[in-house]
């Protein structure tokens, strides 16, 4: 079978209602349910771009094979999965002075340096082959970025400012001990936190029917907790 963007968005909305405990959106006062709902809202906002990324043949539908990358993502988060080694490789790429920490400057460079972006994209492609090659994946990501922000110079300047601001905020959120540098421990803690949430959401998705049941099997108890 195939799934359209409208069907995917409908399933995401249904999943949000399930997480929140009904149409009133109250979530029964459960902070965890509310946090999951916030994550889902972020996914919903990016749904068209994510759909386009998964849609390898660009026919406006997702097949089981195309959605298989999501299955790989799910499995990669389990014990002995590929996500943790990928993060280690990406950390090493960003750590330009090889001191075992990422400074804010090194972090921001990843958003602006074409070579760094190319190497990071290749690393991601080796684990999650959204396209036939890393080069095609980089072209698609570049296209999606400018489709979101616009193409004229004014839009580009504003987009780069927003990107830098967002990158700074993410850096601050990942910097658990607030020492101004990201250690492997900081990245590992964030990986543990958000990976477990993804697996919980994935478990619920698999119970919603065949359209999005391709996420694969696995328990959050098998999640990799250390980087």
């Amino acid at each position: 079978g195939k799934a359209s963007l409208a069907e995917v968005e409908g399933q995401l909305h249904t999943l949000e209602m399930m997480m929140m405990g009904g149409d009133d959106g109250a979530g029964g006062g459960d902070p965890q349910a509310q946090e999951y709902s916030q994550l889902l809202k972020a996914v919903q906002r990016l749904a068209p771009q994510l759909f386009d990324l998964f849609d390898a043949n660009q026919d406006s539908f997702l097949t089981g094979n195309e959605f298989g990358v999501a299955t790989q993502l799910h499995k990669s988060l389990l014990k002995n999965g590929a996500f943790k080694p990928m993060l280690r490789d990406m950390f090493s790429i960003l750590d330009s002075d090889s001191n075992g920490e990422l400074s804010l400057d090194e972090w921001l460079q990843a958003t602006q340096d074409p070579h760094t972006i190319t190497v990071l994209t290749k690393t991601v492609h080796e684990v999650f082959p959204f396209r036939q090659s890393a080069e095609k994946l980089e072209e698609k990501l570049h296209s999606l970025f400018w489709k979101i922000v616009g193409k004229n110079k004014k839009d580009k300047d504003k987009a780069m400012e927003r990107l830098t601001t967002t990158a700074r905020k993410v850096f601050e959120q990942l910097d658990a001990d607030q020492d101004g540098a990201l250690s492997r421990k900081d990245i590992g803690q964030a990986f543990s936190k958000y990976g477990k949430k993804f697996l919980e959401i994935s478990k619920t998705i698999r119970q919603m029917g065949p359209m999005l049941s391709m996420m694969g099997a696995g328990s959050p108890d098998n999640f990799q907790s250390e980087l």
Side-chain angles (χ1 to χ4, degrees):
K2 296 182 177 182
S4 68
L5 175 59
E7 289 173 316
V8 171
E9 290 177 324
Q11 289 285 347
L12 288 172
H13 178 71
T14 300
L15 179 56
E16 181 188 1
M17 292 299 100
M18 291 174 62
M19 288 288 184
M20 293 303 291
D23 292 334
D24 59 0
D30 183 354
Q32 187 178 52
Q34 293 174 359
E35 193 169 2
Y36 284 156
S37 179
Q38 291 176 355
L39 288 174
L40 282 170
K41 286 182 183 297
V43 173
Q44 287 173 319
R45 288 194 296 269
L46 292 173
Q49 289 75 38
L50 292 173
F51 186 96
D52 194 10
L53 181 61
F54 279 93
D55 184 16
N57 65 359
Q58 299 291 278
D59 68 347
S60 299
F61 289 94
L62 292 185
T63 64
N65 288 336
E66 289 170 335
F67 207 80
V69 178
T71 304
Q72 290 177 257
L73 174 58
H74 181 99
K75 291 180 178 179
S76 76
L77 292 168
L78 301 176
K79 188 175 181 180
N80 299 320
F83 205 99
K84 183 166 67 174
M86 183 187 75
L87 279 183
R88 287 173 175 165
D89 291 341
M90 295 177 76
F91 189 99
S92 297
I93 292 168
L94 296 177
D95 185 15
S96 58
D97 59 7
S98 301
N99 70 344
E101 293 183 335
L102 301 183
S103 66
L104 179 59
D105 286 342
E106 288 174 322
W107 181 260
L108 294 178
Q109 182 183 4
T111 68
Q112 302 171 8
D113 179 55
H115 175 70
T116 302
I117 293 172
T118 295
V119 176
L120 289 172
T121 303
K122 182 178 180 180
T123 303
V124 172
H125 174 75
E126 290 174 354
V127 180
F128 306 117
F130 290 100
R131 290 293 183 272
Q132 292 180 335
S133 67
E135 292 78 12
K136 289 187 179 295
L137 175 58
E138 186 173 354
E139 289 176 5
K140 169 52 65 175
L141 293 174
H142 187 270
S143 172
L144 286 174
F145 177 77
W146 292 116
K147 185 182 293 185
I148 294 171
V149 303
K151 295 184 178 180
N152 64 59
K153 186 178 186 303
K154 185 177 180 181
D155 287 338
K156 289 183 179 181
D157 291 342
K158 289 184 177 180
M160 294 310 297
E161 290 178 8
R162 290 198 301 270
L163 182 60
T164 299
T165 299
T166 300
R168 287 179 181 272
K169 290 180 179 179
V170 172
F171 184 93
E172 292 171 358
Q173 291 174 352
L174 294 176
D175 186 12
D177 54 12
Q178 298 296 299
D179 64 350
L182 297 183
S183 65
R184 292 182 183 273
K185 182 179 179 180
D186 290 329
I187 302 298
Q189 288 177 343
F191 170 59
S192 177
K193 176 181 177 181
Y194 293 107
K196 286 182 178 178
K197 289 177 182 176
F198 176 86
L199 290 179
E200 288 287 359
I201 292 173
S202 172
K203 181 180 179 181
T204 303
I205 288 175
R206 295 198 308 275
Q207 298 171 353
M208 294 176 64
M211 197 276 282
L212 290 180
S213 65
M214 309 170 205
M215 296 295 285
S219 166
D221 295 335
N222 295 327
F223 180 72
Q224 308 177 52
S225 60
E226 297 179 0
L227 183 61

